[in-house]
Structure formats: C-alpha cells, structure tokens
Amino acid sequence: MVARAQSATLPDRVRHRFPILERLTYVNSCSQGALSDAVRAAYQDYLRDWDEQGSPWEYWVERAEAARSAFAALVGAGPDEVAVTTSLSAGVSALFSGLRFEGERTTIVISDFEFPTVGQIAHAQELRGRRVVHVPEAGDATIPLEHFDAAIDERTALVAVTHVCYRNGSRVDVEGVVRLAHERGALVLLDAYQAAGVIPLDVRALDVDFLAAGTVKYLLGSAGLAFLYCRADLVERIRPTSTGWFADEDIFEMDIHDYSPSASARRFEFGTPPIPNIYAGLAGLEIVDEIGVAAAEEHIRALTSRLLDGLDELGAKVVTPRDPDRRGPLVAVASTDEHALVAALGADGVVTSSRDGNVRLSFHGYNSSDDVDVLLAALARHRELLAQRPVRGA
Ligand SMILES: Cc1ncc(COP(=O)(O)O)c(C=O)c1O
C-alpha cells in the first residue's frame, strides 16, 4: 500500500465514488463501510464472469491469491504469512485450535475491549483445559498498561488485544502490550478490525505475532471476507485442528488419507473461497489504497476534533478518550436511550449505530466537515437523548 500525501484533497477526490453520500449523512463505517461504485461493479463483474464463462476456477483462485497479496501489503507482511478467510472468527478459530499450550503456559489473556469473536473463541478453549484471564478497563474507557502488566505472566501463552474498541472507540497501546507480552514469553494476537483501512498497520513495526481483520468496515468491502496474519516463523509450529481442504499442502491432490497442512499461513483456511466477496473486497482495498490509509487517518483526526468541539458545546458525555493517540475513527457518545437516538438520527438522514449505551459516530476518508456539522445539528435537535456531561462542582 502506498501512503499518499493527498490529505488536503480529501474527501473531494473520493466522495463521488460513494452514491449513498448524496442522500444521507453516513457516519457508520465502524459498522459497515459505504458502498462504492467500484464494489458495486465488482459484484456485477463476478456475475458476468460466472454467466459468460461458467466456472472459471483458475481465475477465481487467482483472485483469492490477489486478495492474499493485497492483505499482506496492507499490513506489511509477506503473502505466505496471510490466510484469506470468510470472517475474523474463522481465522481466529483456526489459530486457537492449533495453538500449543506448553508446560505451564495454559492461560489466554484477553482485554475487556475484545469483540465477542475473540472473547467467545478464547472461552471455548476452557473446554480444552485452558484458563482465560480478562484485563479490565479503567473507569475512563482506557486499559492502562499496568492492567496488562498485572495480568500477563509466565503462564500466559497468548495475549489477545483489540486495536480500537468497537464499543467505545478507545485505542489500545499495542506496542506497550506487545513489549510486556514478549518480555514474558507470550504471543500476541491483534484484532485490527476497527483500525484496518484508516490506521496504518505494519506487523513488523507493531511486532505482533498474529493480526486479524476483515473487509466489512473501513476496508470498504462487504461481509464474507477477512484475513489472518501469522508471523512466518510461527506458522509451522501451529497445526490447526479446525481446518478444511483449502488448508492442505496440495489442495488438488484430493487426499483423504492424512492431514498435511500447507507450509504457509494458508493452513488457517477452511473450504471453497468466498469468490463474490473476494471480487468486492479487492475493489474495496483498491479504493482504500486510492484514499491512502495515512491520508485517511489525518483527515479523520481533523473531523473527530471538529466533532468533539461540537459535542462539548452540546454538553454531551463523550465516552471515547480525548487523547488523539488513544482514539481512532470512532467516537462514542453516551445516550439516555441509544436505540431511540439512532432511530431519531436515522429519521433525519444521519446513519449511525449503537453499542453498550452509546451512539457510535465514525468517519472515513469520504466524510466531510459538512457531515460533521449536519450530524451535530441533528444531535442538537435530539439533545434530550444525549446523556449530559457531569458539570464540575455540581
Ligand atoms: C473489533 C471487531 N472484531 C471482530 C468483528 C467481527 O468479526 P467476524 O464477524 O468477521 O468474526 C467485529 C465486527 O463485526 C469487530 O468490530
């Protein structure tokens, strides 16, 4: 992925590619990225190829390999370190099924910011005799490093941490967690679903052992496509028991007499690749590349600052941490009735979503400062549904 220094021209150079932005104020990329002309065309291309060529499997498998390379480029990995999966759940399940828990190392440490995917897969390992330890958040929607420090020890096999929390927009100090985990001999899995596409990711710089994300949100694809990165030297140490024929060393040998997983991260894959979603995902990744991940991050930072100023004027209670290094593209605002607020905003043409008592407002490179102003005006109209910030001294 090429980082582009074109932030000055965002959102204008991409906005026209997303028809929904002509009709609605779309601030819900944390849930689903907006549909672009390119992704719509990609689905049509899939139908055309299927219709005209019947079963062009060679080309379709080539497309899956193109997705592998695009994901690898996105996170600074090699293609052999990437599994193309149908969901984050699929990649993480395969990984956990093959993780070795040697000697005393039987504990999985997970942050309290994890999405259910990681939380539930981790707890499923209790059926295999593993222990799960949670790292609690502080009262201010952050998880201080000291909390990880207290939870990770010589019994920890793996630490699972999320980059940006889907509930409150808090951005975890990944480098700090990795340092602590590695000092104590534990591996680290990063769930980067709420970051990929709008926060530059480099697995070497972050020094994570595993990273997973998918195309539904800021990667601007659709459901049904995700990936798992596994550091090259770890691949052959992990032998997934949750598996499928596309994980085999020679898929087309059609061997039913043994288990011989691929020497690459393809061993974390399952069955027939999700071809339609791969067409769409590749188109989404191309648009992400055109926008530029670093440019998107810088642009979004300006939009979130504008939003936070406006929210302060409204007296709203912002749940997301204020420190720009501790937040990403998502701002969570406390509501007295988040479902009613999402519905009221929706009726005003402003698309948002909610989790955990908060309305979630999230931006991408295609959002404009006008979007922020329209959103703020709508929030002002529905002020009674915003939880008010406690007044100092009151
Ligand atoms: C942080 C995070 N992880 C995982 C997921 C879900 O992943 P999947 O449905 O692909 O398992 C989501 C959202 O859907 C998410 O926000």
Side-chain angles (χ1 to χ4, degrees):
M1 290 262 154
V2 187
R4 288 155 206 258
Q6 300 176 6
S7 62
T9 62
L10 283 178
D12 301 345
R13 64 186 164 80
V14 292
R15 211 172 149 84
H16 63 283
R17 310 286 306 274
F18 299 86
I20 193 173
L21 304 178
E22 288 163 22
R23 292 179 291 111
L24 296 169
T25 301
Y26 193 79
V27 286
N28 197 29
S29 305
C30 63
S31 176
Q32 168 70 66
L35 175 63
S36 62
D37 55 5
V39 170
R40 176 182 289 281
Y43 271 113
Q44 281 157 354
D45 289 348
Y46 166 70
L47 292 175
R48 181 205 56 209
D49 291 349
W50 182 14
D51 196 20
E52 288 180 2
Q53 299 174 52
S55 55
W57 273 105
E58 248 173 60
Y59 176 64
W60 284 344
V61 170
E62 197 185 287
R63 293 284 77 200
E65 291 310 313
R68 187 187 316 284
S69 299
F71 286 136
L74 179 77
V75 299
D80 280 353
E81 295 175 303
V82 171
V84 178
T85 64
T86 52
S87 65
L88 193 137
S89 300
V92 171
S93 272
L95 169 65
F96 274 58
S97 77
L99 268 185
R100 284 202 210 157
F101 294 83
E102 281 158 348
E104 296 288 295
R105 285 197 188 273
T106 56
T107 303
I108 300 162
V109 169
I110 69 170
S111 87
D112 262 351
F113 286 171
E114 296 315 294
F115 194 82
T117 291
V118 170
Q120 291 169 13
I121 295 172
H123 278 284
Q125 309 311 309
E126 289 170 338
L127 300 174
R128 301 162 66 211
R130 318 299 178 221
R131 203 168 65 100
V132 180
V133 171
H134 282 242
V135 186
E137 63 178 289
D140 59 353
T142 65
I143 306 186
L145 268 191
E146 303 83 78
H147 290 198
F148 286 97
D149 191 18
I152 303 169
D153 61 24
E154 66 290 345
R155 290 168 301 169
T156 310
L158 179 86
V159 180
V161 71
T162 201
H163 205 157
V164 174
C165 177
Y166 74 102
R167 287 188 280 117
N168 57 30
S170 184
R171 181 168 168 177
V172 170
D173 177 0
V174 179
E175 288 89 342
V177 174
V178 170
R179 208 176 330 107
L180 277 173
H182 284 175
E183 269 167 24
R184 290 160 203 188
L187 299 169
V188 178
L189 163 66
L190 179 64
D191 176 349
Y193 214 139
Q194 291 288 340
V198 286
I199 294 179
L201 296 170
D202 180 334
V203 288
R204 312 274 179 244
L206 290 167
D207 200 23
V208 290
D209 303 292
F210 314 104
L211 179 150
T215 59
V216 176
K217 304 166 196 300
Y218 303 96
L219 290 181
L220 305 179
S222 67
L225 186 64
F227 68 97
L228 173 76
Y229 155 80
C230 173
R231 215 180 68 214
D233 60 302
L234 290 170
V235 171
E236 299 216 48
R237 278 173 49 191
I238 302 165
R239 293 173 72 78
T241 54
S242 267
T243 187
W245 69 298
F246 268 74
D248 195 73
E249 64 180 349
D250 183 354
I251 300 171
F252 299 106
E253 205 183 18
M254 315 299 283
D255 181 10
I256 60 166
H257 292 98
D258 72 359
Y259 171 57
S260 45
S262 163
S264 76
R266 194 162 51 69
R267 68 174 51 200
F268 299 107
E269 295 179 11
F270 287 104
T272 308
I275 303 300
N277 312 320
I278 286 173
Y279 273 68
L282 279 167
L285 283 158
E286 254 170 55
I287 290 222
V288 166
D289 199 25
E290 274 174 43
I291 293 173
V293 177
E297 184 183 44
E298 195 182 322
H299 176 66
I300 291 167
R301 230 171 237 232
L303 297 180
T304 42
S305 296
R306 188 183 184 98
L307 175 65
L308 289 169
D309 289 347
L311 288 168
D312 284 346
E313 277 172 34
L314 288 174
K317 187 174 161 204
V318 175
V319 174
T320 308
R322 287 299 169 133
D323 177 352
D325 292 335
R326 295 277 71 86
R327 58 181 153 87
L330 165 63
V331 173
V333 182
S335 171
T336 52
D337 182 343
E338 74 272 25
H339 302 296
L341 182 53
V342 169
L345 293 170
D348 286 358
V350 179
V351 183
T352 62
S353 55
S354 68
R355 289 271 186 249
D356 208 22
N358 306 319
V359 62
R360 301 191 301 173
L361 315 169
S362 59
F363 300 118
H364 207 306
Y366 45 63
N367 288 113
S368 64
S369 48
D370 281 352
D371 288 340
V372 179
D373 296 344
V374 170
L375 166 63
L376 283 166
L379 286 168
R381 278 195 296 281
H382 304 292
R383 227 192 194 110
E384 74 286 356
L385 292 169
L386 289 172
Q388 292 299 296
R389 193 177 56 226
V391 180
R392 245 173 233 244

